[in-house]
Structure formats: structure tokens, C-alpha cells
């Protein structure tokens, strides 16, 4: 469906949350930010997801990332639901704000609608969407996950993808398949061999391929 995707700027919407009202750009500022939606309060998969997100707050704090949830119920409902979330995930506190969207207008503007899932009244449900927004003052979406309402997200993959984005922004590298923090990265094709020697003084390994094209170069950063 058309809407917010990679490279787009997050609209500066005025939102109401369980931690007060604000505009999205004011909340995001110049920080990495993860905006993630949920079909509704007091639902099973969502309760496990928000609990896991709360459990991973220390990991996001290490990476200087802000979190912003969204669920299609009102603030009063959010506050009651948080009690269940924290009870299900002992020792974790839902410290991040959750946007209230009872009229389901915000999910449309953030491209977080599941076109195939509807509630008992016939209204479209949010998908399990997650946008990672970069810290470049353009509030641009750098990565998006889009899951159906029936599939819960894997927080380890969210952290892994975030690490990849941050690594790529800091260095002229990309991350290969199944990469995880600490593994070798590949040097961007836009970096010439001479530039690579200067940029990566620690050295790099060029894979000998049948094509003899020296494009697959691994290094550690």
C-alpha cells in the first residue's frame, strides 16, 4: 500500500500519549528513534511484544535510541494495559510513551495499516509495523519492518538491524547476510581499492571469485 516507507520523512503529527502530548519531530529531535505499532490494547501478541520491548530498553539506551509505541486505543486504556504488560514481563518497566489512536488516523499517515485484517466492527487493524528513524535532522525512515497482526516481532532482529544501520552510517560499509555485532563487514562498492587502503588501515580481505572482480571485500570495524 502507498505511504511512509524508507527514505520518507516522518510527518510532524501532533499525538496524544500516556506521557503527554507532543509533535513527532519534537520527540524525535536528532535521535535514532523506533516507532512501532500494535493492533490493540489487551491483546495477546501485543502484550508480549511491548513487554519484550521494555526488556530491551537497556540495549536501546546503549545505542542512544528512543522508543515510541502506538496502539489504537485511548490513553486511559493504555495506562491500564501497561499494568498487564509489566506483570507479564516481571522486572521490566514500560518507560516509553505509547500513542493513542482510537480513530485510527495516525496509523494511516504512518503506513501502519494491515489491509487484510479488520476488527469486529469492520475497521482496519494496524499491522505490526516498525520504522527506524535516523538522527540526520530529516527525520527520515531508514528501515521498516511490516508484519501481519498474527506474527510477533523478533527483538533480536530489531537490535541487529539497528546495529547494521548505525555501523553503515559511521563507516563506509555494509553488513552481509546473517551478520551480527562483531562479525566482519563488507566495504561499500563505491570505495575504491586505494580509498579502502586509506580508510581501513587495519586491512581488508578481498575474496577471490571466478569473475575475478574484486568487489567482495571484508574488514573489521
Amino acid at each position: 500500500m502507498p505511504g511512509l516507507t524508507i527514505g520518507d520523512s516522518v510527518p510532524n503529527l501532533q499525538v496524544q500519549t500516556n506521557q503527554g502530548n507532543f509533535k513527532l519531530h519534537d520527540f524525535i529531535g536528532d535521535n535514532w528513534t523506533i516507532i512501532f505499532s500494535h493492533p490493540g490494547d489487551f491483546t495477546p501478541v501485543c502484550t508480549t511484544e511491548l513487554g519484550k520491548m521494555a526488556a530491551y530498553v537497556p540495549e536501546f539506551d546503549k545505542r542512544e535510541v528512543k522508543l515510541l509505541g502506538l496502539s489504537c486505543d485511548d490513553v486511559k486504556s493504555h495506562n491500564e494495559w501497561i499494568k498487564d504488560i509489566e506483570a507479564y514481563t516481571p522486572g521490566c518497566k514500560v518507560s516509553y510513551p505509547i500513542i493513542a489512536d482510537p480513530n485510527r488516523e495516525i496509523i494511516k499517515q504512518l503506513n501502519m495499516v494491515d489491509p487484510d485484517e479488520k476488527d469486529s466492527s469492520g475497521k482496519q487493524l494496524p499491522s505490526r509495523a516498525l520504522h527506524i528513524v535516523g538522527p540526520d535532522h530529516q527525520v527520515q525512515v531508514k528501515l521498516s519492518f511490516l508484519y501481519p497482526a498474527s506474527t510477533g516481532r523478533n527483538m533480536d532482529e530489531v537490535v541487529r538491524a539497528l546495529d547494521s544501520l548505525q555501523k553503515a552510517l559511521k563507516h563506509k560499509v555494509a553488513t552481509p547476510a546473517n551478520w551480527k555485532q562483531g562479525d566482519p563487514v563488507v566495504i561499500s562498492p563505491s570505495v575504491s581499492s586505494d580509498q579502502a587502503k586509506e580508510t581501513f588501515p587495519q586491512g581488508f580481505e578481498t575474496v577471490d571469485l571466478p569473475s575475478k572482480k574484486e568487489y567482495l571485500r571484508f574488514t573489521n570495524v
Side-chain angles (χ1 to χ4, degrees):
M1 62 176 291
L4 194 68
T5 188
I6 294 174
D8 291 342
S9 293
V10 174
N12 193 20
L13 305 176
Q14 178 75 26
V15 297
Q16 183 181 28
T17 82
N18 62 310
Q19 296 184 13
N21 304 340
F22 49 76
K23 287 195 170 183
L24 289 182
H25 289 193
D26 292 338
F27 177 81
I28 295 169
D30 58 358
N31 302 285
W32 286 95
T33 303
I34 296 177
I35 306 174
F36 51 102
S37 64
H38 299 269
D41 296 1
F42 302 103
T43 53
V45 177
C46 298
T47 299
T48 65
E49 285 192 320
L50 267 75
K52 280 296 182 185
M53 193 65 83
Y56 275 64
V57 163
E59 293 299 321
F60 293 120
D61 285 346
K62 287 179 192 175
R63 294 159 175 82
E64 299 183 336
V65 176
K66 300 179 78 171
L67 302 177
L68 179 60
L70 185 155
S71 185
C72 288
D73 290 286
D74 59 29
V75 167
K76 181 179 179 182
S77 176
H78 288 355
N79 286 329
E80 290 301 312
W81 183 33
I82 286 171
K83 297 174 185 177
D84 284 1
I85 296 167
E86 293 178 345
Y88 173 74
T89 313
C92 297
K93 183 173 179 58
V94 178
S95 56
Y96 50 82
I98 305 173
I99 297 171
D101 189 23
N103 296 322
R104 305 188 184 185
E105 293 299 327
I106 296 171
I107 59 168
K108 295 176 185 176
Q109 296 185 69
L110 296 181
N111 195 21
M112 292 176 156
V113 175
D114 188 330
D116 296 324
E117 293 287 341
K118 295 182 180 180
D119 64 15
S120 57
S121 67
K123 291 182 179 179
Q124 285 184 313
L125 287 174
S127 60
R128 297 191 189 284
L130 183 149
H131 300 312
I132 299 181
V133 182
D136 52 9
H137 303 288
Q138 299 180 43
V139 290
Q140 281 188 340
V141 175
K142 301 300 184 183
L143 182 149
S144 286
F145 290 119
L146 190 60
Y147 288 66
S150 59
T151 303
R153 285 162 285 204
N154 185 308
M155 299 308 160
D156 288 331
E157 173 58 14
V158 174
V159 172
R160 190 195 76 89
L162 177 64
D163 284 343
S164 173
L165 291 171
Q166 293 187 332
K167 187 84 68 176
L169 183 65
K170 187 175 181 180
H171 309 279
K172 293 182 178 179
V173 298
T175 56
N178 290 349
W179 176 88
K180 59 184 182 297
Q181 191 71 273
D183 287 350
V185 296
V186 294
I187 299 171
S188 172
S190 64
V191 179
S192 69
S193 293
D194 288 340
Q195 289 173 323
K197 291 173 184 176
E198 182 178 343
T199 305
F200 305 102
Q202 70 274 28
F204 57 90
E205 177 186 354
T206 302
V207 180
D208 184 15
L209 298 169
S211 67
K212 300 305 178 184
K213 296 180 184 294
E214 298 181 346
Y215 62 87
L216 189 52
R217 299 167 295 175
F218 285 91
T219 189
N220 290 285
V221 292

